[in-house]
Amino acid sequence: MILSDGKVYQPEGYDYTVDPDSERPLAISKATGEVIDAIMTMVPVGTVFYTPEQLQKINERKRQQHEFLNSKTTLDSLGRFSFLYATQRFEDISPEAAARLVYLSTFLKWEDGALLLTQRAKMNHTNLPEVLGLSRQTVSRFIDEVSPKYITLDGENNIIMSPKMFYRGKIGRHGESLSWRKVYADSVRKLYRMAGRSNHRYLGYVFQLLPFISVQYNGLCLNIFEKDLNAVQFMSDIDFCDLIGYDRSAVSRLKRIYKKIRFEVDGHTEPFCAFVDVGDSTRIFVNPRILYNGTRPDMVAVLGSFCKDA
């Protein structure tokens, strides 16, 4: 290929030659030996080039993302859920505020950014102290912290959540993005209330790491769309500490705290997160009853040892 400034560019991974009979330019794959026609053309400087192999990987990744997003899981029996935009790390707000936002998202009206206090009544900012279980002063600071990026108030002081980050409805309307996670309303509300105000920041630490939670296995990792368990690059408890800015030397204390953060499930309690020792490392899994978008909640339960505990 000839760039507009006169330079010649040849995509890597191929050898180039000319057919001796037809004098057509040919490209030979170094990996497979496949011979394909090459085309000489002029393109603008700055053009991005993809080899057929790269395009295949990109399309496969998009297919996997779409499959994960639209899959039906057995956890749909948990009832109503909203969607949370998983690439948002909430880095510009405190973990406590992140936890409160996720909790409030469970009150979203269908295909509307408004929050519902009851089936018909919208949630007004004056309702927040009771809904969040906080003082008016703390609520006031919370609103200042998350406005206007995450929430705004309409003309009647009703709370509106940003549809770019929180949504309840048919996800097909947001087909341009494939990074939404299901957040189960009933479980999240029980978790928030049972955790107590002092532990809200520990909920928030996890919600701030949504971009690192495996879609299929719900574990903290670096390649969240990987379906092969053996290929998932899980993070350790030390990695978790580093990401949330927690003292590495206090990781044992952190584990004890998360072990106590539980929520009620059909007459028993289950942990919000599980720290599972695998060899010399510790993997961290999030209970799929709180958030999940994969197709194997049973596998997550096994990996994280989420089980009944009266």
Side-chain angles (χ1 to χ4, degrees):
M1 297 181 185
I2 302 175
L3 303 182
S4 57
D5 61 359
K7 295 181 180 178
V8 177
Y9 170 80
Q10 294 180 337
E12 297 178 359
Y14 290 85
D15 289 322
Y16 297 88
T17 185
V18 176
D19 185 293
D21 297 324
S22 64
E23 298 186 351
R24 291 179 304 152
L26 301 174
I28 305 172
S29 172
K30 294 180 180 179
T32 65
E34 180 185 7
V35 179
I36 60 175
D37 287 334
I39 300 174
M40 294 292 291
T41 184
M42 179 174 288
V43 295
V45 174
T47 300
V48 178
F49 303 101
Y50 294 105
T51 65
E53 290 81 4
Q54 290 172 325
L55 282 174
Q56 184 176 1
K57 290 181 180 179
I58 292 171
N59 290 332
E60 174 63 16
R61 179 180 175 85
K62 288 181 178 179
R63 186 196 65 77
Q64 289 181 2
Q65 290 176 338
H66 185 75
E67 176 184 318
F68 280 133
L69 184 66
N70 293 286
S71 64
K72 299 292 288 183
T73 79
T74 58
L75 290 183
D76 286 352
S77 63
L78 289 177
R80 190 177 72 179
F81 57 82
S82 53
F83 287 100
L84 179 62
Y85 193 51
T87 61
Q88 172 60 45
R89 277 201 61 187
F90 303 111
E91 291 180 290
D92 52 347
I93 58 176
S94 65
E96 292 90 344
R100 291 159 189 165
L101 283 172
V102 173
Y103 172 67
L104 287 177
S105 73
T106 67
F107 294 89
L108 274 168
K109 184 179 179 182
W110 181 262
E111 296 191 344
D112 191 329
L115 301 184
L116 293 178
L117 189 63
T118 66
Q119 243 183 345
R120 296 186 177 182
K122 291 184 178 181
M123 189 182 297
N124 190 280
H125 83 285
T126 58
N127 305 126
L128 283 181
E130 181 179 359
V131 173
L132 292 172
L134 303 172
S135 68
R136 292 190 178 278
Q137 291 81 3
T138 302
V139 166
S140 179
R141 290 194 295 270
F142 166 69
I143 292 177
D144 289 341
E145 184 177 0
V146 300
S147 301
K149 182 176 180 178
Y150 299 99
I151 65 172
T152 56
L153 300 179
D154 66 13
E156 299 178 350
N157 284 330
N158 295 317
I159 302 169
I160 308 296
M161 300 198 81
S162 169
K164 294 180 179 180
M165 300 167 196
F166 310 94
Y167 179 69
R168 181 171 173 245
K170 294 182 179 180
I171 203 65
R173 292 183 57 183
H174 294 266
E176 71 282 359
S177 173
L178 298 174
S179 298
W180 294 86
R181 297 295 181 86
K182 293 175 182 175
V183 178
Y184 292 92
D186 188 53
S187 296
V188 169
R189 293 182 191 181
K190 289 178 179 178
L191 173 67
Y192 179 89
R193 293 162 183 166
M194 288 185 68
R197 179 178 173 180
S198 62
N199 285 325
H200 286 172
R201 67 172 169 141
Y202 297 101
L203 306 185
Y205 284 145
V206 174
F207 293 137
Q208 286 180 321
L209 297 183
L210 277 176
F212 300 102
I213 297 178
S214 167
V215 177
Q216 187 72 300
Y217 302 107
N218 254 36
L220 286 177
C221 69
L222 297 176
N223 50 343
I224 66 172
F225 293 108
E226 179 58 59
K227 292 196 293 184
D228 182 351
L229 180 60
N230 295 321
V232 177
Q233 301 172 35
F234 286 103
M235 293 184 184
S236 68
D237 50 352
I238 298 302
D239 295 327
F240 180 50
C241 287
D242 291 343
L243 280 171
I244 66 176
Y246 200 86
D247 184 359
R248 285 185 174 190
S249 64
V251 65
S252 296
R253 176 178 180 273
L254 187 67
K255 291 180 183 180
R256 289 195 297 271
I257 291 173
Y258 275 104
K259 187 175 181 179
K260 294 179 180 178
I261 299 177
R262 311 179 76 86
F263 62 101
E264 185 179 348
V265 179
D266 297 331
H268 67 277
T269 65
E270 292 185 0
F272 169 40
C273 292
F275 288 70
V276 181
D277 293 327
V278 180
D280 297 329
S281 182
T282 299
R283 297 175 180 177
I284 304 165
F285 296 90
V286 181
N287 195 313
R289 293 180 181 273
I290 297 298
L291 62 94
Y292 190 60
N293 229 72
T295 59
R296 292 293 307 277
D298 56 329
M299 178 63 78
V300 177
V302 171
L303 292 172
S305 300
F306 296 111
C307 58
K308 292 185 178 180
D309 179 25

